[in-house]
Amino acid sequence: MKRIRQGWNTLRRSRRSGVSLIVALCAVAVLIGLSLSIVYSSSMLLSRANRKIGRERCYQLAQSFAQVLDSELQEYKTIKPELDTNFAPEGCFYREVNNILAEDTGLGIYDPDRSDETTACYNAGSTEDDYGRITILLRDVTDVQDPITGDTFAYDARDEGTEKAEQTTFNRHQVWVGVKAEKGADSYMYTTEYRRKDSFQPIYTWKGEDGVQFPVYWVNGRFCRSANGEDPVKPKDIGEGEDARKEHVEISYTYDINNPTYSRYEPIHKPAARTTGGAADE
């Protein structure tokens, strides 16, 4: 009987030890699971932080490059040295944009179905370089153009009339400029749209009171029959004595659309839309 009691006591002690062991193992498993989850969460946060840093670098690069292009595009107003000493030199961004907008030799209006054919693309660098890869995309997104029309003014208002004629600008083109920066798997697209305002050489016509009409040129503050300033013309004297007066003359003008004088680029909206991702679309 004594041996039986000893056996039951030993069994009870063994059962308690087994339960304790199971509880201990479960506690260890829970702790290991919590530790792994913390490590995983930390790695995910670190990965996202690194990705965010990469995208931010692409953003800074694309924005900085776009600002350089913006300053150059707005610095110049003409390619003609006879009109402005600060004319756009060969190879500058201003001339490149003008080339893609050219009526006869440019890319034409952007067509999403023919994106490659209607988008000018320039790139430099590599995604593995320290400064990544830069791609410049240009598109002519012109929708509606202002009609080029002239006007008429009296000879006595010639100063104001000619100033208006020469300073009037027309919205003829709209260009989309995209700068895409790529570094590794990260990218950023910075886009800006510009409206190009063109002014053209006025073509003046002298309309005398007697119905006679002929072309004239505004040179050094006076109308002349010659473009070089020779043979100036003035209204004729009509009548004598108290009835004497000057002929009433109207000056009409149109524009030589094949002879633009100045082209100014003005941004339509800023800041530009932001696009991020592993491989930004064009």
PDB file of all heavy atoms in Angstrom, residues 125-155:
ATOM      1  N   GLY A 125      22.907  60.348 -68.829  1.00  0.00           N
ATOM      2  CA  GLY A 125      23.188  59.625 -67.600  1.00  0.00           C
ATOM      3  C   GLY A 125      22.569  58.244 -67.593  1.00  0.00           C
ATOM      4  O   GLY A 125      21.994  57.770 -68.585  1.00  0.00           O
ATOM      5  N   SER A 126      22.686  57.572 -66.454  1.00  0.00           N
ATOM      6  CA  SER A 126      22.161  56.227 -66.270  1.00  0.00           C
ATOM      7  C   SER A 126      21.514  56.126 -64.898  1.00  0.00           C
ATOM      8  O   SER A 126      21.861  56.868 -63.977  1.00  0.00           O
ATOM      9  CB  SER A 126      23.289  55.188 -66.391  1.00  0.00           C
ATOM     10  OG  SER A 126      22.869  53.923 -65.937  1.00  0.00           O
ATOM     11  N   THR A 127      20.581  55.186 -64.759  1.00  0.00           N
ATOM     12  CA  THR A 127      19.914  55.020 -63.469  1.00  0.00           C
ATOM     13  C   THR A 127      20.879  54.547 -62.390  1.00  0.00           C
ATOM     14  O   THR A 127      20.589  54.652 -61.202  1.00  0.00           O
ATOM     15  CB  THR A 127      18.765  53.994 -63.588  1.00  0.00           C
ATOM     16  OG1 THR A 127      19.293  52.755 -64.085  1.00  0.00           O
ATOM     17  CG2 THR A 127      17.691  54.513 -64.536  1.00  0.00           C
ATOM     18  N   GLU A 128      22.034  54.026 -62.803  1.00  0.00           N
ATOM     19  CA  GLU A 128      23.021  53.551 -61.835  1.00  0.00           C
ATOM     20  C   GLU A 128      24.055  54.617 -61.492  1.00  0.00           C
ATOM     21  O   GLU A 128      24.902  54.405 -60.620  1.00  0.00           O
ATOM     22  CB  GLU A 128      23.731  52.302 -62.380  1.00  0.00           C
ATOM     23  CG  GLU A 128      22.781  51.171 -62.743  1.00  0.00           C
ATOM     24  CD  GLU A 128      21.883  50.766 -61.584  1.00  0.00           C
ATOM     25  OE1 GLU A 128      22.389  50.720 -60.442  1.00  0.00           O
ATOM     26  OE2 GLU A 128      20.691  50.502 -61.807  1.00  0.00           O
ATOM     27  N   ASP A 129      24.041  55.762 -62.194  1.00  0.00           N
ATOM     28  CA  ASP A 129      24.989  56.832 -61.900  1.00  0.00           C
ATOM     29  C   ASP A 129      24.658  57.473 -60.556  1.00  0.00           C
ATOM     30  O   ASP A 129      23.534  57.359 -60.053  1.00  0.00           O
ATOM     31  CB  ASP A 129      24.946  57.914 -62.996  1.00  0.00           C
ATOM     32  CG  ASP A 129      25.523  57.395 -64.316  1.00  0.00           C
ATOM     33  OD1 ASP A 129      26.182  56.334 -64.285  1.00  0.00           O
ATOM     34  OD2 ASP A 129      25.290  58.043 -65.345  1.00  0.00           O
ATOM     35  N   ASP A 130      25.648  58.194 -60.003  1.00  0.00           N
ATOM     36  CA  ASP A 130      25.435  58.867 -58.722  1.00  0.00           C
ATOM     37  C   ASP A 130      24.295  59.866 -58.810  1.00  0.00           C
ATOM     38  O   ASP A 130      23.538  60.041 -57.845  1.00  0.00           O
ATOM     39  CB  ASP A 130      26.719  59.581 -58.282  1.00  0.00           C
ATOM     40  CG  ASP A 130      27.816  58.591 -57.903  1.00  0.00           C
ATOM     41  OD1 ASP A 130      27.481  57.429 -57.601  1.00  0.00           O
ATOM     42  OD2 ASP A 130      28.995  58.981 -57.920  1.00  0.00           O
ATOM     43  N   TYR A 131      24.169  60.528 -59.971  1.00  0.00           N
ATOM     44  CA  TYR A 131      23.129  61.539 -60.123  1.00  0.00           C
ATOM     45  C   TYR A 131      21.946  61.022 -60.924  1.00  0.00           C
ATOM     46  O   TYR A 131      21.058  61.785 -61.280  1.00  0.00           O
ATOM     47  CB  TYR A 131      23.713  62.780 -60.794  1.00  0.00           C
ATOM     48  CG  TYR A 131      24.713  63.496 -59.920  1.00  0.00           C
ATOM     49  CD1 TYR A 131      26.077  63.311 -60.100  1.00  0.00           C
ATOM     50  CD2 TYR A 131      24.298  64.331 -58.892  1.00  0.00           C
ATOM     51  CE1 TYR A 131      27.002  63.956 -59.274  1.00  0.00           C
ATOM     52  CE2 TYR A 131      25.199  64.969 -58.071  1.00  0.00           C
ATOM     53  CZ  TYR A 131      26.554  64.776 -58.271  1.00  0.00           C
ATOM     54  OH  TYR A 131      27.457  65.403 -57.454  1.00  0.00           O
ATOM     55  N   GLY A 132      21.931  59.720 -61.195  1.00  0.00           N
ATOM     56  CA  GLY A 132      20.782  59.137 -61.867  1.00  0.00           C
ATOM     57  C   GLY A 132      20.707  59.491 -63.345  1.00  0.00           C
ATOM     58  O   GLY A 132      21.674  59.950 -63.954  1.00  0.00           O
ATOM     59  N   ARG A 133      19.528  59.274 -63.903  1.00  0.00           N
ATOM     60  CA  ARG A 133      19.266  59.504 -65.317  1.00  0.00           C
ATOM     61  C   ARG A 133      18.235  60.622 -65.460  1.00  0.00           C
ATOM     62  O   ARG A 133      17.201  60.616 -64.805  1.00  0.00           O
ATOM     63  CB  ARG A 133      18.743  58.221 -65.962  1.00  0.00           C
ATOM     64  CG  ARG A 133      18.344  58.341 -67.432  1.00  0.00           C
ATOM     65  CD  ARG A 133      17.734  57.023 -67.878  1.00  0.00           C
ATOM     66  NE  ARG A 133      17.271  57.063 -69.244  1.00  0.00           N
ATOM     67  CZ  ARG A 133      18.005  56.754 -70.303  1.00  0.00           C
ATOM     68  NH1 ARG A 133      19.261  56.380 -70.128  1.00  0.00           N
ATOM     69  NH2 ARG A 133      17.496  56.809 -71.524  1.00  0.00           N
ATOM     70  N   ILE A 134      18.536  61.577 -66.343  1.00  0.00           N
ATOM     71  CA  ILE A 134      17.626  62.692 -66.603  1.00  0.00           C
ATOM     72  C   ILE A 134      17.075  62.565 -68.020  1.00  0.00           C
ATOM     73  O   ILE A 134      17.831  62.371 -68.972  1.00  0.00           O
ATOM     74  CB  ILE A 134      18.339  64.053 -66.440  1.00  0.00           C
ATOM     75  CG1 ILE A 134      18.526  64.385 -64.975  1.00  0.00           C
ATOM     76  CG2 ILE A 134      17.551  65.171 -67.120  1.00  0.00           C
ATOM     77  CD1 ILE A 134      17.237  64.723 -64.247  1.00  0.00           C
ATOM     78  N   THR A 135      15.753  62.694 -68.141  1.00  0.00           N
ATOM     79  CA  THR A 135      15.099  62.669 -69.446  1.00  0.00           C
ATOM     80  C   THR A 135      14.230  63.912 -69.588  1.00  0.00           C
ATOM     81  O   THR A 135      13.442  64.221 -68.692  1.00  0.00           O
ATOM     82  CB  THR A 135      14.226  61.419 -69.612  1.00  0.00           C
ATOM     83  OG1 THR A 135      15.030  60.249 -69.438  1.00  0.00           O
ATOM     84  CG2 THR A 135      13.598  61.376 -70.995  1.00  0.00           C
ATOM     85  N   ILE A 136      14.393  64.624 -70.710  1.00  0.00           N
ATOM     86  CA  ILE A 136      13.582  65.808 -70.999  1.00  0.00           C
ATOM     87  C   ILE A 136      12.612  65.443 -72.119  1.00  0.00           C
ATOM     88  O   ILE A 136      13.027  64.951 -73.171  1.00  0.00           O
ATOM     89  CB  ILE A 136      14.445  67.002 -71.430  1.00  0.00           C
ATOM     90  CG1 ILE A 136      15.471  67.340 -70.345  1.00  0.00           C
ATOM     91  CG2 ILE A 136      13.577  68.224 -71.721  1.00  0.00           C
ATOM     92  CD1 ILE A 136      16.467  68.393 -70.769  1.00  0.00           C
ATOM     93  N   LEU A 137      11.323  65.683 -71.885  1.00  0.00           N
ATOM     94  CA  LEU A 137      10.284  65.385 -72.861  1.00  0.00           C
ATOM     95  C   LEU A 137       9.601  66.690 -73.266  1.00  0.00           C
ATOM     96  O   LEU A 137       9.233  67.491 -72.402  1.00  0.00           O
ATOM     97  CB  LEU A 137       9.256  64.413 -72.278  1.00  0.00           C
ATOM     98  CG  LEU A 137       9.820  63.086 -71.752  1.00  0.00           C
ATOM     99  CD1 LEU A 137       8.746  62.335 -70.976  1.00  0.00           C
ATOM    100  CD2 LEU A 137      10.342  62.242 -72.891  1.00  0.00           C
ATOM    101  N   LEU A 138       9.419  66.886 -74.561  1.00  0.00           N
ATOM    102  CA  LEU A 138       8.781  68.104 -75.076  1.00  0.00           C
ATOM    103  C   LEU A 138       7.613  67.717 -75.983  1.00  0.00           C
ATOM    104  O   LEU A 138       7.746  66.843 -76.846  1.00  0.00           O
ATOM    105  CB  LEU A 138       9.782  68.950 -75.870  1.00  0.00           C
ATOM    106  CG  LEU A 138      11.040  69.420 -75.135  1.00  0.00           C
ATOM    107  CD1 LEU A 138      11.941  70.181 -76.093  1.00  0.00           C
ATOM    108  CD2 LEU A 138      10.680  70.291 -73.957  1.00  0.00           C
ATOM    109  N   ARG A 139       6.484  68.398 -75.787  1.00  0.00           N
ATOM    110  CA  ARG A 139       5.312  68.149 -76.619  1.00  0.00           C
ATOM    111  C   ARG A 139       4.616  69.461 -76.958  1.00  0.00           C
ATOM    112  O   ARG A 139       4.510  70.346 -76.105  1.00  0.00           O
ATOM    113  CB  ARG A 139       4.316  67.232 -75.892  1.00  0.00           C
ATOM    114  CG  ARG A 139       4.814  65.817 -75.653  1.00  0.00           C
ATOM    115  CD  ARG A 139       3.917  65.065 -74.699  1.00  0.00           C
ATOM    116  NE  ARG A 139       4.397  63.714 -74.434  1.00  0.00           N
ATOM    117  CZ  ARG A 139       3.996  62.956 -73.433  1.00  0.00           C
ATOM    118  NH1 ARG A 139       3.097  63.437 -72.585  1.00  0.00           N
ATOM    119  NH2 ARG A 139       4.479  61.745 -73.266  1.00  0.00           N
ATOM    120  N   ASP A 140       4.138  69.550 -78.175  1.00  0.00           N
ATOM    121  CA  ASP A 140       3.314  70.681 -78.595  1.00  0.00           C
ATOM    122  C   ASP A 140       1.870  70.312 -78.312  1.00  0.00           C
ATOM    123  O   ASP A 140       1.278  69.477 -79.007  1.00  0.00           O
ATOM    124  CB  ASP A 140       3.523  70.957 -80.081  1.00  0.00           C
ATOM    125  CG  ASP A 140       2.732  72.169 -80.564  1.00  0.00           C
ATOM    126  OD1 ASP A 140       1.964  72.737 -79.769  1.00  0.00           O
ATOM    127  OD2 ASP A 140       2.889  72.549 -81.739  1.00  0.00           O
ATOM    128  N   VAL A 141       1.292  70.903 -77.265  1.00  0.00           N
ATOM    129  CA  VAL A 141      -0.080  70.568 -76.867  1.00  0.00           C
ATOM    130  C   VAL A 141      -1.042  71.705 -77.226  1.00  0.00           C
ATOM    131  O   VAL A 141      -2.073  71.900 -76.578  1.00  0.00           O
ATOM    132  CB  VAL A 141      -0.155  70.254 -75.355  1.00  0.00           C
ATOM    133  CG1 VAL A 141       0.602  68.981 -75.046  1.00  0.00           C
ATOM    134  CG2 VAL A 141       0.399  71.407 -74.516  1.00  0.00           C
ATOM    135  N   THR A 142      -0.694  72.455 -78.265  1.00  0.00           N
ATOM    136  CA  THR A 142      -1.525  73.571 -78.703  1.00  0.00           C
ATOM    137  C   THR A 142      -2.932  73.100 -79.039  1.00  0.00           C
ATOM    138  O   THR A 142      -3.119  72.117 -79.748  1.00  0.00           O
ATOM    139  CB  THR A 142      -0.901  74.236 -79.936  1.00  0.00           C
ATOM    140  OG1 THR A 142       0.409  74.698 -79.608  1.00  0.00           O
ATOM    141  CG2 THR A 142      -1.744  75.423 -80.398  1.00  0.00           C
ATOM    142  N   ASP A 143      -3.910  73.812 -78.512  1.00  0.00           N
ATOM    143  CA  ASP A 143      -5.303  73.493 -78.802  1.00  0.00           C
ATOM    144  C   ASP A 143      -5.901  74.554 -79.722  1.00  0.00           C
ATOM    145  O   ASP A 143      -6.199  74.308 -80.880  1.00  0.00           O
ATOM    146  CB  ASP A 143      -6.092  73.383 -77.497  1.00  0.00           C
ATOM    147  CG  ASP A 143      -7.523  72.936 -77.724  1.00  0.00           C
ATOM    148  OD1 ASP A 143      -7.832  72.522 -78.851  1.00  0.00           O
ATOM    149  OD2 ASP A 143      -8.323  72.999 -76.783  1.00  0.00           O
ATOM    150  N   VAL A 144      -6.063  75.758 -79.178  1.00  0.00           N
ATOM    151  CA  VAL A 144      -6.651  76.857 -79.955  1.00  0.00           C
ATOM    152  C   VAL A 144      -5.625  77.979 -80.076  1.00  0.00           C
ATOM    153  O   VAL A 144      -4.957  78.334 -79.109  1.00  0.00           O
ATOM    154  CB  VAL A 144      -7.929  77.384 -79.274  1.00  0.00           C
ATOM    155  CG1 VAL A 144      -8.502  78.553 -80.055  1.00  0.00           C
ATOM    156  CG2 VAL A 144      -8.960  76.260 -79.151  1.00  0.00           C
ATOM    157  N   GLN A 145      -5.485  78.528 -81.273  1.00  0.00           N
ATOM    158  CA  GLN A 145      -4.569  79.634 -81.516  1.00  0.00           C
ATOM    159  C   GLN A 145      -5.350  80.938 -81.682  1.00  0.00           C
ATOM    160  O   GLN A 145      -6.433  80.957 -82.260  1.00  0.00           O
ATOM    161  CB  GLN A 145      -3.731  79.378 -82.780  1.00  0.00           C
ATOM    162  CG  GLN A 145      -2.798  78.186 -82.680  1.00  0.00           C
ATOM    163  CD  GLN A 145      -2.014  77.986 -83.966  1.00  0.00           C
ATOM    164  OE1 GLN A 145      -2.522  78.216 -85.058  1.00  0.00           O
ATOM    165  NE2 GLN A 145      -0.774  77.561 -83.833  1.00  0.00           N
ATOM    166  N   ASP A 146      -4.764  82.015 -81.155  1.00  0.00           N
ATOM    167  CA  ASP A 146      -5.384  83.329 -81.366  1.00  0.00           C
ATOM    168  C   ASP A 146      -5.308  83.699 -82.839  1.00  0.00           C
ATOM    169  O   ASP A 146      -4.266  83.524 -83.480  1.00  0.00           O
ATOM    170  CB  ASP A 146      -4.649  84.403 -80.550  1.00  0.00           C
ATOM    171  CG  ASP A 146      -4.866  84.252 -79.065  1.00  0.00           C
ATOM    172  OD1 ASP A 146      -5.812  83.541 -78.677  1.00  0.00           O
ATOM    173  OD2 ASP A 146      -4.093  84.843 -78.290  1.00  0.00           O
ATOM    174  N   PRO A 147      -6.397  84.240 -83.398  1.00  0.00           N
ATOM    175  CA  PRO A 147      -6.315  84.729 -84.786  1.00  0.00           C
ATOM    176  C   PRO A 147      -5.427  85.961 -84.858  1.00  0.00           C
ATOM    177  O   PRO A 147      -5.443  86.803 -83.962  1.00  0.00           O
ATOM    178  CB  PRO A 147      -7.770  85.061 -85.118  1.00  0.00           C
ATOM    179  CG  PRO A 147      -8.406  85.344 -83.792  1.00  0.00           C
ATOM    180  CD  PRO A 147      -7.727  84.432 -82.811  1.00  0.00           C
ATOM    181  N   ILE A 148      -4.634  86.036 -85.913  1.00  0.00           N
ATOM    182  CA  ILE A 148      -3.724  87.170 -86.074  1.00  0.00           C
ATOM    183  C   ILE A 148      -4.447  88.238 -86.891  1.00  0.00           C
ATOM    184  O   ILE A 148      -4.614  88.110 -88.109  1.00  0.00           O
ATOM    185  CB  ILE A 148      -2.421  86.735 -86.768  1.00  0.00           C
ATOM    186  CG1 ILE A 148      -1.746  85.629 -85.955  1.00  0.00           C
ATOM    187  CG2 ILE A 148      -1.478  87.911 -86.936  1.00  0.00           C
ATOM    188  CD1 ILE A 148      -0.505  85.064 -86.612  1.00  0.00           C
ATOM    189  N   THR A 149      -4.895  89.278 -86.228  1.00  0.00           N
ATOM    190  CA  THR A 149      -5.647  90.342 -86.886  1.00  0.00           C
ATOM    191  C   THR A 149      -4.997  91.694 -86.614  1.00  0.00           C
ATOM    192  O   THR A 149      -4.310  91.877 -85.607  1.00  0.00           O
ATOM    193  CB  THR A 149      -7.099  90.368 -86.380  1.00  0.00           C
ATOM    194  OG1 THR A 149      -7.089  90.540 -84.950  1.00  0.00           O
ATOM    195  CG2 THR A 149      -7.807  89.064 -86.696  1.00  0.00           C
ATOM    196  N   GLY A 150      -5.229  92.612 -87.517  1.00  0.00           N
ATOM    197  CA  GLY A 150      -4.685  93.955 -87.374  1.00  0.00           C
ATOM    198  C   GLY A 150      -5.748  94.946 -86.942  1.00  0.00           C
ATOM    199  O   GLY A 150      -6.764  94.579 -86.350  1.00  0.00           O
ATOM    200  N   ASP A 151      -5.506  96.225 -87.260  1.00  0.00           N
ATOM    201  CA  ASP A 151      -6.433  97.277 -86.844  1.00  0.00           C
ATOM    202  C   ASP A 151      -6.163  98.513 -87.693  1.00  0.00           C
ATOM    203  O   ASP A 151      -5.329  98.494 -88.608  1.00  0.00           O
ATOM    204  CB  ASP A 151      -6.234  97.582 -85.363  1.00  0.00           C
ATOM    205  CG  ASP A 151      -7.459  98.233 -84.743  1.00  0.00           C
ATOM    206  OD1 ASP A 151      -8.374  98.606 -85.486  1.00  0.00           O
ATOM    207  OD2 ASP A 151      -7.473  98.392 -83.503  1.00  0.00           O
ATOM    208  N   THR A 152      -6.830  99.618 -87.360  1.00  0.00           N
ATOM    209  CA  THR A 152      -6.674 100.890 -88.062  1.00  0.00           C
ATOM    210  C   THR A 152      -6.603 102.013 -87.036  1.00  0.00           C
ATOM    211  O   THR A 152      -7.294 101.974 -86.010  1.00  0.00           O
ATOM    212  CB  THR A 152      -7.853 101.145 -89.022  1.00  0.00           C
ATOM    213  OG1 THR A 152      -7.923 100.073 -89.968  1.00  0.00           O
ATOM    214  CG2 THR A 152      -7.673 102.454 -89.772  1.00  0.00           C
ATOM    215  N   PHE A 153      -5.756 103.008 -87.304  1.00  0.00           N
ATOM    216  CA  PHE A 153      -5.680 104.174 -86.431  1.00  0.00           C
ATOM    217  C   PHE A 153      -5.414 105.412 -87.279  1.00  0.00           C
ATOM    218  O   PHE A 153      -4.917 105.318 -88.420  1.00  0.00           O
ATOM    219  CB  PHE A 153      -4.579 104.020 -85.366  1.00  0.00           C
ATOM    220  CG  PHE A 153      -3.210 103.747 -85.922  1.00  0.00           C
ATOM    221  CD1 PHE A 153      -2.356 104.795 -86.269  1.00  0.00           C
ATOM    222  CD2 PHE A 153      -2.751 102.442 -86.085  1.00  0.00           C
ATOM    223  CE1 PHE A 153      -1.088 104.558 -86.770  1.00  0.00           C
ATOM    224  CE2 PHE A 153      -1.487 102.196 -86.582  1.00  0.00           C
ATOM    225  CZ  PHE A 153      -0.649 103.250 -86.931  1.00  0.00           C
ATOM    226  N   ALA A 154      -5.768 106.574 -86.736  1.00  0.00           N
ATOM    227  CA  ALA A 154      -5.556 107.838 -87.455  1.00  0.00           C
ATOM    228  C   ALA A 154      -4.084 108.214 -87.425  1.00  0.00           C
ATOM    229  O   ALA A 154      -3.345 107.867 -86.488  1.00  0.00           O
ATOM    230  CB  ALA A 154      -6.401 108.935 -86.819  1.00  0.00           C
ATOM    231  N   TYR A 155      -3.667 108.926 -88.451  1.00  0.00           N
ATOM    232  CA  TYR A 155      -2.265 109.348 -88.534  1.00  0.00           C
ATOM    233  C   TYR A 155      -1.866 110.157 -87.299  1.00  0.00           C
ATOM    234  O   TYR A 155      -0.748 110.025 -86.802  1.00  0.00           O
ATOM    235  CB  TYR A 155      -2.051 110.184 -89.808  1.00  0.00           C
ATOM    236  CG  TYR A 155      -0.663 110.767 -89.916  1.00  0.00           C
ATOM    237  CD1 TYR A 155       0.384 110.008 -90.410  1.00  0.00           C
ATOM    238  CD2 TYR A 155      -0.406 112.090 -89.506  1.00  0.00           C
ATOM    239  CE1 TYR A 155       1.667 110.547 -90.500  1.00  0.00           C
ATOM    240  CE2 TYR A 155       0.862 112.623 -89.593  1.00  0.00           C
ATOM    241  CZ  TYR A 155       1.895 111.845 -90.091  1.00  0.00           C
ATOM    242  OH  TYR A 155       3.168 112.380 -90.173  1.00  0.00           O
TER     243      TYR A 155
END
